[in-house]
Amino acid sequence: EAQVTQNPRYLITVTGKKLTVTCSQNMNHEYMSWYRQDPGLGLRQIYYSMNVEVTDKGDVPEGYKVSRKEKRNFPLILESPSPNQTSLYFCASSLSGGAGSYEQYFGPGTRLTVT
Amino acid sequence: QKEVEQNSGPLSVPEGAIASLNCTYSDRGSQSFFWYRQYSGKSPELIMSIYSNGDKEDGRFTAQLNKASQYVSLLIRDSQPSDSATYLCAVRADMRFGAGTRLTVKP
């Protein structure tokens, strides 16, 4: 089954404790991205990757890191989480990025609470 | 600043009516446009994609694109209570989403 998976689905952590949210897709997609969703603000892009070893900042990259060492995986790293990073996070993938690109497929989401 | 704007709603329509959702965008270079549906607490799922000016129909859904006026709309005919969700407009060129319009279909 073609899908985007995220783990964990739910996470409660404390300020400053490093965490990683994993994202994996099995569709051989080149493009992957991370979004956070907060009430009233919609989906805001954190980071995206056009292909392996190619990543770039989205609209809200502060406090986050990513890496793309393999085509299928795109982990999101919070090295020192803060309460303002409490949010619902979505990973997404697409066949390709850029102007002539395709629809994105979303993972199930990770609800993160930082206390 | 490139932006995608939607009326946040909520939009309420009676069952069986036509729901009309609108989206405007600022980047004239945008070429790909998508409508996603998102149920509360769930991930967005694609409803329609549109790339050319005009209308595109898929079942009860019709997407309309007008690049000159920089707007894209989604019409839902014969609205059902199961259509109650937040609808997100996405403009692909720079991966931006609108904030979404919450639609409620009342039985």
Side-chain angles (χ1 to χ4, degrees), chain A residues 31 35 37 40 42-43 45 59 90 94 96-99 101-104 106-107, chain B residues 31-32 34 36 38 41-44 46 49 51 88 92-99:
Chain A
Y31 181 90
Y35 294 88
Q37 187 172 39
L43 284 165
Q45 192 176 56
D59 292 330
F90 289 104
S94 170
S96 71
S101 48
Y102 301 84
E103 63 269 19
Q104 294 191 87
F106 285 82
Chain B
Q31 298 180 21
S32 310
F34 305 91
Y36 289 82
Q38 186 178 26
K42 303 296 185 182
S43 56
L46 181 73
S49 59
Y51 304 94
L88 302 169
R92 183 64 186 192
D94 58 354
M95 318 306 166
R96 286 182 176 265
F97 282 79

PDB file of all heavy atoms in Angstrom, chain A residues 31 35 37 40 42-43 45 59 90 94 96-99 101-104 106-107, chain B residues 31-32 34 36 38 41-44 46 49 51 88 92-99:
ATOM      1  N   TYR A  31      10.094  14.521  -3.743  1.00  0.00           N
ATOM      2  CA  TYR A  31       9.844  15.694  -2.914  1.00  0.00           C
ATOM      3  C   TYR A  31       9.198  15.284  -1.591  1.00  0.00           C
ATOM      4  O   TYR A  31       8.242  14.502  -1.558  1.00  0.00           O
ATOM      5  CB  TYR A  31       8.913  16.643  -3.667  1.00  0.00           C
ATOM      6  CG  TYR A  31       8.590  17.917  -2.932  1.00  0.00           C
ATOM      7  CD1 TYR A  31       9.381  19.046  -3.077  1.00  0.00           C
ATOM      8  CD2 TYR A  31       7.473  17.995  -2.104  1.00  0.00           C
ATOM      9  CE1 TYR A  31       9.089  20.218  -2.403  1.00  0.00           C
ATOM     10  CE2 TYR A  31       7.178  19.157  -1.428  1.00  0.00           C
ATOM     11  CZ  TYR A  31       7.983  20.260  -1.578  1.00  0.00           C
ATOM     12  OH  TYR A  31       7.695  21.409  -0.909  1.00  0.00           O
ATOM     13  N   TYR A  35       5.130  20.079   7.616  1.00  0.00           N
ATOM     14  CA  TYR A  35       4.240  21.191   7.942  1.00  0.00           C
ATOM     15  C   TYR A  35       3.872  21.111   9.419  1.00  0.00           C
ATOM     16  O   TYR A  35       3.833  20.046  10.014  1.00  0.00           O
ATOM     17  CB  TYR A  35       2.935  21.117   7.136  1.00  0.00           C
ATOM     18  CG  TYR A  35       3.092  21.299   5.650  1.00  0.00           C
ATOM     19  CD1 TYR A  35       3.355  20.220   4.818  1.00  0.00           C
ATOM     20  CD2 TYR A  35       2.948  22.560   5.077  1.00  0.00           C
ATOM     21  CE1 TYR A  35       3.481  20.390   3.453  1.00  0.00           C
ATOM     22  CE2 TYR A  35       3.067  22.740   3.707  1.00  0.00           C
ATOM     23  CZ  TYR A  35       3.336  21.649   2.904  1.00  0.00           C
ATOM     24  OH  TYR A  35       3.461  21.821   1.545  1.00  0.00           O
ATOM     25  N   GLN A  37       0.588  22.531  11.854  1.00  0.00           N
ATOM     26  CA  GLN A  37      -0.762  23.086  11.738  1.00  0.00           C
ATOM     27  C   GLN A  37      -1.232  23.542  13.105  1.00  0.00           C
ATOM     28  O   GLN A  37      -1.288  22.754  14.047  1.00  0.00           O
ATOM     29  CB  GLN A  37      -1.735  22.056  11.155  1.00  0.00           C
ATOM     30  CG  GLN A  37      -3.106  22.632  10.851  1.00  0.00           C
ATOM     31  CD  GLN A  37      -3.978  21.645  10.100  1.00  0.00           C
ATOM     32  OE1 GLN A  37      -3.967  20.455  10.360  1.00  0.00           O
ATOM     33  NE2 GLN A  37      -4.749  22.155   9.134  1.00  0.00           N
ATOM     34  N   GLY A  40      -6.364  28.196  13.299  1.00  0.00           N
ATOM     35  CA  GLY A  40      -6.471  29.511  12.674  1.00  0.00           C
ATOM     36  C   GLY A  40      -5.324  29.886  11.762  1.00  0.00           C
ATOM     37  O   GLY A  40      -5.395  30.902  11.064  1.00  0.00           O
ATOM     38  N   GLY A  42      -3.668  27.459   9.658  1.00  0.00           N
ATOM     39  CA  GLY A  42      -3.532  26.562   8.533  1.00  0.00           C
ATOM     40  C   GLY A  42      -2.239  25.777   8.565  1.00  0.00           C
ATOM     41  O   GLY A  42      -1.584  25.643   9.600  1.00  0.00           O
ATOM     42  N   LEU A  43      -1.869  25.257   7.417  1.00  0.00           N
ATOM     43  CA  LEU A  43      -0.634  24.487   7.270  1.00  0.00           C
ATOM     44  C   LEU A  43       0.515  25.427   6.925  1.00  0.00           C
ATOM     45  O   LEU A  43       0.452  26.147   5.933  1.00  0.00           O
ATOM     46  CB  LEU A  43      -0.791  23.450   6.162  1.00  0.00           C
ATOM     47  CG  LEU A  43      -1.606  22.204   6.484  1.00  0.00           C
ATOM     48  CD1 LEU A  43      -1.972  21.481   5.195  1.00  0.00           C
ATOM     49  CD2 LEU A  43      -0.821  21.276   7.399  1.00  0.00           C
ATOM     50  N   GLN A  45       4.617  25.533   6.157  1.00  0.00           N
ATOM     51  CA  GLN A  45       5.727  24.659   5.801  1.00  0.00           C
ATOM     52  C   GLN A  45       6.956  24.964   6.647  1.00  0.00           C
ATOM     53  O   GLN A  45       7.368  26.116   6.785  1.00  0.00           O
ATOM     54  CB  GLN A  45       6.052  24.801   4.315  1.00  0.00           C
ATOM     55  CG  GLN A  45       6.995  23.729   3.807  1.00  0.00           C
ATOM     56  CD  GLN A  45       7.221  23.832   2.321  1.00  0.00           C
ATOM     57  OE1 GLN A  45       7.639  24.869   1.827  1.00  0.00           O
ATOM     58  NE2 GLN A  45       6.951  22.757   1.598  1.00  0.00           N
ATOM     59  N   ASP A  59       8.499  28.284   5.575  1.00  0.00           N
ATOM     60  CA  ASP A  59       8.093  29.547   6.185  1.00  0.00           C
ATOM     61  C   ASP A  59       8.459  29.648   7.665  1.00  0.00           C
ATOM     62  O   ASP A  59       8.676  30.751   8.168  1.00  0.00           O
ATOM     63  CB  ASP A  59       6.576  29.718   6.052  1.00  0.00           C
ATOM     64  CG  ASP A  59       6.166  29.932   4.613  1.00  0.00           C
ATOM     65  OD1 ASP A  59       6.970  30.505   3.849  1.00  0.00           O
ATOM     66  OD2 ASP A  59       5.044  29.526   4.259  1.00  0.00           O
ATOM     67  N   PHE A  90       2.645  17.429  10.159  1.00  0.00           N
ATOM     68  CA  PHE A  90       2.385  16.545   9.033  1.00  0.00           C
ATOM     69  C   PHE A  90       3.609  16.467   8.138  1.00  0.00           C
ATOM     70  O   PHE A  90       4.213  17.486   7.793  1.00  0.00           O
ATOM     71  CB  PHE A  90       1.211  17.042   8.191  1.00  0.00           C
ATOM     72  CG  PHE A  90      -0.120  16.895   8.852  1.00  0.00           C
ATOM     73  CD1 PHE A  90      -0.759  18.005   9.390  1.00  0.00           C
ATOM     74  CD2 PHE A  90      -0.747  15.659   8.929  1.00  0.00           C
ATOM     75  CE1 PHE A  90      -1.999  17.882   9.993  1.00  0.00           C
ATOM     76  CE2 PHE A  90      -1.984  15.531   9.538  1.00  0.00           C
ATOM     77  CZ  PHE A  90      -2.606  16.643  10.075  1.00  0.00           C
ATOM     78  N   SER A  94       5.620  14.047  -2.541  1.00  0.00           N
ATOM     79  CA  SER A  94       5.084  14.282  -3.874  1.00  0.00           C
ATOM     80  C   SER A  94       6.064  13.718  -4.885  1.00  0.00           C
ATOM     81  O   SER A  94       7.272  13.657  -4.620  1.00  0.00           O
ATOM     82  CB  SER A  94       4.886  15.786  -4.080  1.00  0.00           C
ATOM     83  OG  SER A  94       4.598  16.093  -5.408  1.00  0.00           O
ATOM     84  N   SER A  96       7.280  15.024  -7.461  1.00  0.00           N
ATOM     85  CA  SER A  96       8.335  16.001  -7.655  1.00  0.00           C
ATOM     86  C   SER A  96       7.879  17.337  -7.126  1.00  0.00           C
ATOM     87  O   SER A  96       6.701  17.542  -6.851  1.00  0.00           O
ATOM     88  CB  SER A  96       8.707  16.119  -9.146  1.00  0.00           C
ATOM     89  OG  SER A  96       7.668  16.747  -9.866  1.00  0.00           O
ATOM     90  N   GLY A  97       8.815  18.249  -6.983  1.00  0.00           N
ATOM     91  CA  GLY A  97       8.482  19.584  -6.532  1.00  0.00           C
ATOM     92  C   GLY A  97       8.617  20.562  -7.674  1.00  0.00           C
ATOM     93  O   GLY A  97       8.766  20.187  -8.832  1.00  0.00           O
ATOM     94  N   GLY A  98       8.532  21.828  -7.367  1.00  0.00           N
ATOM     95  CA  GLY A  98       8.700  22.836  -8.403  1.00  0.00           C
ATOM     96  C   GLY A  98       7.394  23.253  -9.026  1.00  0.00           C
ATOM     97  O   GLY A  98       6.315  22.837  -8.633  1.00  0.00           O
ATOM     98  N   ALA A  99       7.475  24.046 -10.051  1.00  0.00           N
ATOM     99  CA  ALA A  99       6.286  24.656 -10.638  1.00  0.00           C
ATOM    100  C   ALA A  99       5.364  23.644 -11.302  1.00  0.00           C
ATOM    101  O   ALA A  99       4.154  23.749 -11.230  1.00  0.00           O
ATOM    102  CB  ALA A  99       6.712  25.715 -11.664  1.00  0.00           C
ATOM    103  N   SER A 101       4.584  20.607 -10.591  1.00  0.00           N
ATOM    104  CA  SER A 101       4.639  19.467  -9.697  1.00  0.00           C
ATOM    105  C   SER A 101       3.256  18.862  -9.432  1.00  0.00           C
ATOM    106  O   SER A 101       2.258  19.267  -9.998  1.00  0.00           O
ATOM    107  CB  SER A 101       5.308  19.867  -8.401  1.00  0.00           C
ATOM    108  OG  SER A 101       4.744  21.058  -7.936  1.00  0.00           O
ATOM    109  N   TYR A 102       3.258  17.903  -8.587  1.00  0.00           N
ATOM    110  CA  TYR A 102       2.127  17.029  -8.388  1.00  0.00           C
ATOM    111  C   TYR A 102       1.543  17.179  -6.997  1.00  0.00           C
ATOM    112  O   TYR A 102       2.127  17.797  -6.130  1.00  0.00           O
ATOM    113  CB  TYR A 102       2.572  15.578  -8.615  1.00  0.00           C
ATOM    114  CG  TYR A 102       3.133  15.335  -9.988  1.00  0.00           C
ATOM    115  CD1 TYR A 102       4.464  15.614 -10.271  1.00  0.00           C
ATOM    116  CD2 TYR A 102       2.322  14.851 -11.009  1.00  0.00           C
ATOM    117  CE1 TYR A 102       4.985  15.409 -11.531  1.00  0.00           C
ATOM    118  CE2 TYR A 102       2.843  14.645 -12.273  1.00  0.00           C
ATOM    119  CZ  TYR A 102       4.164  14.923 -12.523  1.00  0.00           C
ATOM    120  OH  TYR A 102       4.669  14.715 -13.779  1.00  0.00           O
ATOM    121  N   GLU A 103       0.417  16.535  -6.788  1.00  0.00           N
ATOM    122  CA  GLU A 103      -0.234  16.617  -5.488  1.00  0.00           C
ATOM    123  C   GLU A 103       0.622  15.952  -4.419  1.00  0.00           C
ATOM    124  O   GLU A 103       1.400  15.045  -4.690  1.00  0.00           O
ATOM    125  CB  GLU A 103      -1.616  15.968  -5.518  1.00  0.00           C
ATOM    126  CG  GLU A 103      -1.601  14.479  -5.809  1.00  0.00           C
ATOM    127  CD  GLU A 103      -1.705  14.182  -7.289  1.00  0.00           C
ATOM    128  OE1 GLU A 103      -1.423  15.095  -8.101  1.00  0.00           O
ATOM    129  OE2 GLU A 103      -2.070  13.060  -7.631  1.00  0.00           O
ATOM    130  N   GLN A 104       0.448  16.415  -3.198  1.00  0.00           N
ATOM    131  CA  GLN A 104       1.169  15.854  -2.073  1.00  0.00           C
ATOM    132  C   GLN A 104       0.304  14.826  -1.357  1.00  0.00           C
ATOM    133  O   GLN A 104      -0.908  14.972  -1.269  1.00  0.00           O
ATOM    134  CB  GLN A 104       1.572  16.947  -1.087  1.00  0.00           C
ATOM    135  CG  GLN A 104       2.591  17.936  -1.657  1.00  0.00           C
ATOM    136  CD  GLN A 104       3.174  18.826  -0.591  1.00  0.00           C
ATOM    137  OE1 GLN A 104       4.156  18.483   0.050  1.00  0.00           O
ATOM    138  NE2 GLN A 104       2.549  19.979  -0.392  1.00  0.00           N
ATOM    139  N   PHE A 106      -0.142  13.014   2.325  1.00  0.00           N
ATOM    140  CA  PHE A 106       0.184  13.350   3.703  1.00  0.00           C
ATOM    141  C   PHE A 106       0.241  12.127   4.601  1.00  0.00           C
ATOM    142  O   PHE A 106      -0.506  11.166   4.421  1.00  0.00           O
ATOM    143  CB  PHE A 106      -0.860  14.326   4.272  1.00  0.00           C
ATOM    144  CG  PHE A 106      -0.704  15.725   3.765  1.00  0.00           C
ATOM    145  CD1 PHE A 106      -1.215  16.096   2.530  1.00  0.00           C
ATOM    146  CD2 PHE A 106      -0.026  16.676   4.512  1.00  0.00           C
ATOM    147  CE1 PHE A 106      -1.058  17.377   2.047  1.00  0.00           C
ATOM    148  CE2 PHE A 106       0.132  17.967   4.055  1.00  0.00           C
ATOM    149  CZ  PHE A 106      -0.388  18.320   2.816  1.00  0.00           C
ATOM    150  N   GLY A 107       1.137  12.204   5.571  1.00  0.00           N
ATOM    151  CA  GLY A 107       1.149  11.219   6.636  1.00  0.00           C
ATOM    152  C   GLY A 107       0.002  11.471   7.600  1.00  0.00           C
ATOM    153  O   GLY A 107      -0.712  12.469   7.484  1.00  0.00           O
TER     154      GLY A 107
ATOM    155  N   GLN B  31       1.210  27.490 -11.211  1.00  0.00           N
ATOM    156  CA  GLN B  31       0.705  26.668 -12.303  1.00  0.00           C
ATOM    157  C   GLN B  31      -0.157  25.503 -11.844  1.00  0.00           C
ATOM    158  O   GLN B  31      -0.888  24.929 -12.644  1.00  0.00           O
ATOM    159  CB  GLN B  31       1.883  26.106 -13.111  1.00  0.00           C
ATOM    160  CG  GLN B  31       2.747  27.162 -13.767  1.00  0.00           C
ATOM    161  CD  GLN B  31       3.884  26.568 -14.557  1.00  0.00           C
ATOM    162  OE1 GLN B  31       3.832  25.409 -14.946  1.00  0.00           O
ATOM    163  NE2 GLN B  31       4.925  27.355 -14.786  1.00  0.00           N
ATOM    164  N   SER B  32      -0.030  25.128 -10.577  1.00  0.00           N
ATOM    165  CA  SER B  32      -0.736  23.948 -10.088  1.00  0.00           C
ATOM    166  C   SER B  32      -1.557  24.328  -8.878  1.00  0.00           C
ATOM    167  O   SER B  32      -1.067  25.025  -7.989  1.00  0.00           O
ATOM    168  CB  SER B  32       0.265  22.854  -9.693  1.00  0.00           C
ATOM    169  OG  SER B  32       1.214  22.631 -10.714  1.00  0.00           O
ATOM    170  N   PHE B  34      -4.620  22.909  -5.999  1.00  0.00           N
ATOM    171  CA  PHE B  34      -5.202  21.713  -5.411  1.00  0.00           C
ATOM    172  C   PHE B  34      -6.206  22.087  -4.333  1.00  0.00           C
ATOM    173  O   PHE B  34      -6.042  23.075  -3.622  1.00  0.00           O
ATOM    174  CB  PHE B  34      -4.102  20.845  -4.786  1.00  0.00           C
ATOM    175  CG  PHE B  34      -3.002  20.477  -5.739  1.00  0.00           C
ATOM    176  CD1 PHE B  34      -1.879  21.283  -5.862  1.00  0.00           C
ATOM    177  CD2 PHE B  34      -3.097  19.354  -6.521  1.00  0.00           C
ATOM    178  CE1 PHE B  34      -0.858  20.967  -6.751  1.00  0.00           C
ATOM    179  CE2 PHE B  34      -2.085  19.021  -7.412  1.00  0.00           C
ATOM    180  CZ  PHE B  34      -0.967  19.830  -7.526  1.00  0.00           C
ATOM    181  N   TYR B  36      -7.852  20.279  -0.970  1.00  0.00           N
ATOM    182  CA  TYR B  36      -7.788  19.168  -0.027  1.00  0.00           C
ATOM    183  C   TYR B  36      -8.946  19.286   0.954  1.00  0.00           C
ATOM    184  O   TYR B  36      -9.380  20.385   1.303  1.00  0.00           O
ATOM    185  CB  TYR B  36      -6.474  19.199   0.768  1.00  0.00           C
ATOM    186  CG  TYR B  36      -5.238  18.841  -0.016  1.00  0.00           C
ATOM    187  CD1 TYR B  36      -4.597  19.787  -0.803  1.00  0.00           C
ATOM    188  CD2 TYR B  36      -4.701  17.560   0.038  1.00  0.00           C
ATOM    189  CE1 TYR B  36      -3.454  19.461  -1.525  1.00  0.00           C
ATOM    190  CE2 TYR B  36      -3.553  17.230  -0.677  1.00  0.00           C
ATOM    191  CZ  TYR B  36      -2.945  18.190  -1.452  1.00  0.00           C
ATOM    192  OH  TYR B  36      -1.810  17.863  -2.155  1.00  0.00           O
ATOM    193  N   GLN B  38     -10.017  18.158   4.863  1.00  0.00           N
ATOM    194  CA  GLN B  38      -9.424  17.715   6.113  1.00  0.00           C
ATOM    195  C   GLN B  38     -10.490  17.605   7.186  1.00  0.00           C
ATOM    196  O   GLN B  38     -11.103  18.605   7.563  1.00  0.00           O
ATOM    197  CB  GLN B  38      -8.318  18.673   6.568  1.00  0.00           C
ATOM    198  CG  GLN B  38      -7.577  18.175   7.803  1.00  0.00           C
ATOM    199  CD  GLN B  38      -6.452  19.098   8.233  1.00  0.00           C
ATOM    200  OE1 GLN B  38      -6.472  20.300   7.956  1.00  0.00           O
ATOM    201  NE2 GLN B  38      -5.459  18.549   8.916  1.00  0.00           N
ATOM    202  N   GLY B  41      -8.654  16.651  13.105  1.00  0.00           N
ATOM    203  CA  GLY B  41      -7.652  15.751  13.664  1.00  0.00           C
ATOM    204  C   GLY B  41      -7.041  14.781  12.682  1.00  0.00           C
ATOM    205  O   GLY B  41      -6.186  13.970  13.048  1.00  0.00           O
ATOM    206  N   LYS B  42      -7.478  14.859  11.422  1.00  0.00           N
ATOM    207  CA  LYS B  42      -6.977  13.938  10.400  1.00  0.00           C
ATOM    208  C   LYS B  42      -6.072  14.672   9.428  1.00  0.00           C
ATOM    209  O   LYS B  42      -5.964  15.895   9.448  1.00  0.00           O
ATOM    210  CB  LYS B  42      -8.144  13.292   9.646  1.00  0.00           C
ATOM    211  CG  LYS B  42      -9.123  12.553  10.528  1.00  0.00           C
ATOM    212  CD  LYS B  42      -8.476  11.361  11.205  1.00  0.00           C
ATOM    213  CE  LYS B  42      -9.491  10.555  11.991  1.00  0.00           C
ATOM    214  NZ  LYS B  42      -8.847   9.410  12.698  1.00  0.00           N
ATOM    215  N   SER B  43      -5.429  13.914   8.556  1.00  0.00           N
ATOM    216  CA  SER B  43      -4.543  14.529   7.581  1.00  0.00           C
ATOM    217  C   SER B  43      -5.331  14.985   6.358  1.00  0.00           C
ATOM    218  O   SER B  43      -6.399  14.444   6.058  1.00  0.00           O
ATOM    219  CB  SER B  43      -3.442  13.554   7.167  1.00  0.00           C
ATOM    220  OG  SER B  43      -3.999  12.359   6.675  1.00  0.00           O
ATOM    221  N   PRO B  44      -4.828  15.978   5.656  1.00  0.00           N
ATOM    222  CA  PRO B  44      -5.504  16.446   4.432  1.00  0.00           C
ATOM    223  C   PRO B  44      -5.520  15.347   3.365  1.00  0.00           C
ATOM    224  O   PRO B  44      -4.553  14.598   3.219  1.00  0.00           O
ATOM    225  CB  PRO B  44      -4.641  17.625   3.990  1.00  0.00           C
ATOM    226  CG  PRO B  44      -3.904  18.063   5.214  1.00  0.00           C
ATOM    227  CD  PRO B  44      -3.669  16.812   5.982  1.00  0.00           C
ATOM    228  N   LEU B  46      -6.498  14.730  -0.844  1.00  0.00           N
ATOM    229  CA  LEU B  46      -6.718  15.445  -2.094  1.00  0.00           C
ATOM    230  C   LEU B  46      -8.122  15.187  -2.634  1.00  0.00           C
ATOM    231  O   LEU B  46      -8.590  14.057  -2.688  1.00  0.00           O
ATOM    232  CB  LEU B  46      -5.688  15.000  -3.131  1.00  0.00           C
ATOM    233  CG  LEU B  46      -5.792  15.691  -4.477  1.00  0.00           C
ATOM    234  CD1 LEU B  46      -5.299  17.138  -4.366  1.00  0.00           C
ATOM    235  CD2 LEU B  46      -4.991  14.941  -5.533  1.00  0.00           C
ATOM    236  N   SER B  49      -7.407  18.457  -8.374  1.00  0.00           N
ATOM    237  CA  SER B  49      -6.280  19.239  -8.851  1.00  0.00           C
ATOM    238  C   SER B  49      -6.707  19.915 -10.147  1.00  0.00           C
ATOM    239  O   SER B  49      -7.532  19.382 -10.901  1.00  0.00           O
ATOM    240  CB  SER B  49      -5.066  18.350  -9.103  1.00  0.00           C
ATOM    241  OG  SER B  49      -5.372  17.351 -10.065  1.00  0.00           O
ATOM    242  N   TYR B  51      -5.043  22.586 -13.383  1.00  0.00           N
ATOM    243  CA  TYR B  51      -3.844  23.218 -13.910  1.00  0.00           C
ATOM    244  C   TYR B  51      -4.149  24.244 -15.000  1.00  0.00           C
ATOM    245  O   TYR B  51      -3.315  25.101 -15.292  1.00  0.00           O
ATOM    246  CB  TYR B  51      -2.907  22.154 -14.497  1.00  0.00           C
ATOM    247  CG  TYR B  51      -2.531  21.071 -13.508  1.00  0.00           C
ATOM    248  CD1 TYR B  51      -3.254  19.888 -13.445  1.00  0.00           C
ATOM    249  CD2 TYR B  51      -1.457  21.234 -12.639  1.00  0.00           C
ATOM    250  CE1 TYR B  51      -2.914  18.892 -12.543  1.00  0.00           C
ATOM    251  CE2 TYR B  51      -1.108  20.239 -11.732  1.00  0.00           C
ATOM    252  CZ  TYR B  51      -1.837  19.071 -11.699  1.00  0.00           C
ATOM    253  OH  TYR B  51      -1.507  18.082 -10.799  1.00  0.00           O
ATOM    254  N   LEU B  88      -8.978  22.969   2.223  1.00  0.00           N
ATOM    255  CA  LEU B  88      -7.718  23.699   2.074  1.00  0.00           C
ATOM    256  C   LEU B  88      -7.394  23.879   0.598  1.00  0.00           C
ATOM    257  O   LEU B  88      -7.427  22.920  -0.176  1.00  0.00           O
ATOM    258  CB  LEU B  88      -6.576  22.930   2.735  1.00  0.00           C
ATOM    259  CG  LEU B  88      -6.730  22.618   4.221  1.00  0.00           C
ATOM    260  CD1 LEU B  88      -5.660  21.618   4.650  1.00  0.00           C
ATOM    261  CD2 LEU B  88      -6.609  23.883   5.038  1.00  0.00           C
ATOM    262  N   ARG B  92       0.731  25.326  -5.719  1.00  0.00           N
ATOM    263  CA  ARG B  92       1.906  24.465  -5.658  1.00  0.00           C
ATOM    264  C   ARG B  92       3.230  25.180  -5.822  1.00  0.00           C
ATOM    265  O   ARG B  92       4.228  24.741  -5.304  1.00  0.00           O
ATOM    266  CB  ARG B  92       1.780  23.377  -6.708  1.00  0.00           C
ATOM    267  CG  ARG B  92       2.890  22.379  -6.692  1.00  0.00           C
ATOM    268  CD  ARG B  92       2.930  21.591  -5.417  1.00  0.00           C
ATOM    269  NE  ARG B  92       4.085  20.724  -5.367  1.00  0.00           N
ATOM    270  CZ  ARG B  92       4.264  19.772  -4.483  1.00  0.00           C
ATOM    271  NH1 ARG B  92       3.355  19.563  -3.564  1.00  0.00           N
ATOM    272  NH2 ARG B  92       5.347  19.032  -4.505  1.00  0.00           N
ATOM    273  N   ALA B  93       3.271  26.265  -6.580  1.00  0.00           N
ATOM    274  CA  ALA B  93       4.549  26.837  -6.974  1.00  0.00           C
ATOM    275  C   ALA B  93       5.475  27.059  -5.789  1.00  0.00           C
ATOM    276  O   ALA B  93       6.668  26.860  -5.887  1.00  0.00           O
ATOM    277  CB  ALA B  93       4.335  28.141  -7.727  1.00  0.00           C
ATOM    278  N   ASP B  94       4.907  27.462  -4.663  1.00  0.00           N
ATOM    279  CA  ASP B  94       5.765  27.635  -3.493  1.00  0.00           C
ATOM    280  C   ASP B  94       5.197  26.906  -2.288  1.00  0.00           C
ATOM    281  O   ASP B  94       5.441  27.291  -1.154  1.00  0.00           O
ATOM    282  CB  ASP B  94       5.982  29.112  -3.188  1.00  0.00           C
ATOM    283  CG  ASP B  94       4.678  29.831  -2.946  1.00  0.00           C
ATOM    284  OD1 ASP B  94       3.609  29.221  -3.119  1.00  0.00           O
ATOM    285  OD2 ASP B  94       4.721  31.019  -2.596  1.00  0.00           O
ATOM    286  N   MET B  95       4.440  25.861  -2.553  1.00  0.00           N
ATOM    287  CA  MET B  95       3.977  24.945  -1.507  1.00  0.00           C
ATOM    288  C   MET B  95       3.097  25.599  -0.465  1.00  0.00           C
ATOM    289  O   MET B  95       3.096  25.196   0.676  1.00  0.00           O
ATOM    290  CB  MET B  95       5.175  24.301  -0.793  1.00  0.00           C
ATOM    291  CG  MET B  95       6.289  23.881  -1.681  1.00  0.00           C
ATOM    292  SD  MET B  95       5.686  22.808  -2.994  1.00  0.00           S
ATOM    293  CE  MET B  95       7.094  22.817  -4.090  1.00  0.00           C
ATOM    294  N   ARG B  96       2.354  26.595  -0.845  1.00  0.00           N
ATOM    295  CA  ARG B  96       1.571  27.297   0.170  1.00  0.00           C
ATOM    296  C   ARG B  96       0.126  26.822   0.229  1.00  0.00           C
ATOM    297  O   ARG B  96      -0.502  26.541  -0.792  1.00  0.00           O
ATOM    298  CB  ARG B  96       1.598  28.800  -0.109  1.00  0.00           C
ATOM    299  CG  ARG B  96       2.933  29.394   0.254  1.00  0.00           C
ATOM    300  CD  ARG B  96       2.954  30.887   0.021  1.00  0.00           C
ATOM    301  NE  ARG B  96       4.234  31.408   0.483  1.00  0.00           N
ATOM    302  CZ  ARG B  96       4.416  31.910   1.688  1.00  0.00           C
ATOM    303  NH1 ARG B  96       3.410  31.979   2.533  1.00  0.00           N
ATOM    304  NH2 ARG B  96       5.594  32.360   2.051  1.00  0.00           N
ATOM    305  N   PHE B  97      -0.360  26.789   1.444  1.00  0.00           N
ATOM    306  CA  PHE B  97      -1.746  26.443   1.687  1.00  0.00           C
ATOM    307  C   PHE B  97      -2.484  27.661   2.232  1.00  0.00           C
ATOM    308  O   PHE B  97      -1.917  28.474   2.971  1.00  0.00           O
ATOM    309  CB  PHE B  97      -1.859  25.324   2.730  1.00  0.00           C
ATOM    310  CG  PHE B  97      -1.571  23.961   2.186  1.00  0.00           C
ATOM    311  CD1 PHE B  97      -0.267  23.543   1.986  1.00  0.00           C
ATOM    312  CD2 PHE B  97      -2.602  23.090   1.874  1.00  0.00           C
ATOM    313  CE1 PHE B  97       0.003  22.278   1.490  1.00  0.00           C
ATOM    314  CE2 PHE B  97      -2.337  21.816   1.387  1.00  0.00           C
ATOM    315  CZ  PHE B  97      -1.034  21.416   1.190  1.00  0.00           C
ATOM    316  N   GLY B  98      -3.757  27.752   1.888  1.00  0.00           N
ATOM    317  CA  GLY B  98      -4.607  28.706   2.568  1.00  0.00           C
ATOM    318  C   GLY B  98      -4.910  28.191   3.965  1.00  0.00           C
ATOM    319  O   GLY B  98      -4.628  27.038   4.289  1.00  0.00           O
ATOM    320  N   ALA B  99      -5.493  29.056   4.778  1.00  0.00           N
ATOM    321  CA  ALA B  99      -5.806  28.681   6.161  1.00  0.00           C
ATOM    322  C   ALA B  99      -6.979  27.722   6.244  1.00  0.00           C
ATOM    323  O   ALA B  99      -7.202  27.112   7.288  1.00  0.00           O
ATOM    324  CB  ALA B  99      -6.070  29.932   6.991  1.00  0.00           C
TER     325      ALA B  99
END
